[in-house]
Amino acid sequence: YAFFCIAVVSLLLNVQLGLRIRAYGDNKNLLYRLGHNPEKYRLIGLAFSNALAAGSGALTCQIYGFTDINMGFGIALTAIAAWLIGIQTMKKIFRYKNFSVKIDCVACLMGALLYYLIVTLFLRIGVNPIYLKLLVGLILVILLKIMSNKKQKPWENNC
């Protein structure tokens, strides 16, 4: 399912419709100035993201055989952590600075794999699951600090 989602998102964001959805995310006034209805692209983007979320929920229900209201807690933290780890790692590997749909989608998948590898290693070591989120959060902060630690030139401003 992950590879299917990456292929669909990559295909969508590289066609005209996807470019307009991305333009809405950056500056919705630009679409209005170009003569397009920004609300149309907001609704398409929301429908597409909800369709991906519904597909993930349906597969989760199919795998576990039941659903529970508490099944999704913590998934936002996991997604953000996976995205940050993947993007920072891919930026160091490929040394790219601009947005690339394919590289960013692969980075998210790689980040999720690395995140769950860290969680699995902590569980194998025997860390109490109560402290697992705290330790993973600390590792994430340390990893991001190490990866984003670059020397800034004195004439460059951070403004």
Side-chain angles (χ1 to χ4, degrees):
Y1 184 73
F3 292 115
F4 172 74
C5 288
I6 287 173
V8 169
V9 168
S10 177
L11 179 70
L12 174 74
L13 292 179
N14 282 319
V15 296
Q16 194 72 22
L17 175 67
L19 292 174
R20 289 184 182 147
I21 292 171
R22 284 171 41 196
Y24 178 84
D26 288 337
N27 185 1
K28 67 180 177 181
N29 293 328
L30 174 68
L31 281 176
Y32 181 73
R33 289 182 193 139
L34 291 174
H36 298 287
N37 184 5
E39 290 301 310
K40 173 183 167 185
Y41 295 103
R42 181 180 67 94
L43 289 175
I44 291 171
L46 287 173
F48 185 69
S49 66
N50 283 330
L52 290 175
S56 299
L59 283 175
T60 302
C61 179
Q62 188 176 18
I63 290 169
Y64 291 122
F66 70 95
T67 59
D68 185 14
I69 191 99
N70 297 320
M71 287 179 107
F73 286 148
I75 198 69
L77 176 66
T78 304
I80 291 169
W83 178 73
L84 285 173
I85 290 171
I87 294 294
Q88 291 296 326
T89 306
M90 292 298 268
K91 279 185 180 179
K92 291 295 181 184
I93 292 173
F94 290 112
R95 301 199 186 281
Y96 75 98
K97 296 192 178 21
N98 295 333
F99 178 78
S100 170
V101 175
K102 293 174 186 167
I103 292 176
D104 285 353
C105 287
V106 171
C108 289
L109 182 63
M110 189 178 78
L113 293 174
L114 288 173
Y115 178 81
Y116 282 112
L117 178 70
I118 292 169
V119 170
T120 303
L121 287 175
F122 278 142
L123 290 175
R124 292 277 181 172
I125 292 172
V127 173
N128 189 349
I130 293 173
Y131 303 119
L132 188 62
K133 292 276 187 199
L134 174 68
L135 288 174
V136 169
L138 289 174
I139 293 295
L140 178 66
V141 168
I142 292 168
L143 183 66
L144 288 175
K145 183 66 179 165
I146 290 170
M147 289 184 156
S148 68
N149 208 6
K150 62 180 180 180
K151 295 191 178 194
Q152 189 175 11
K153 296 175 180 136
W155 58 84
E156 289 180 345
N157 258 343
N158 239 358
C159 299

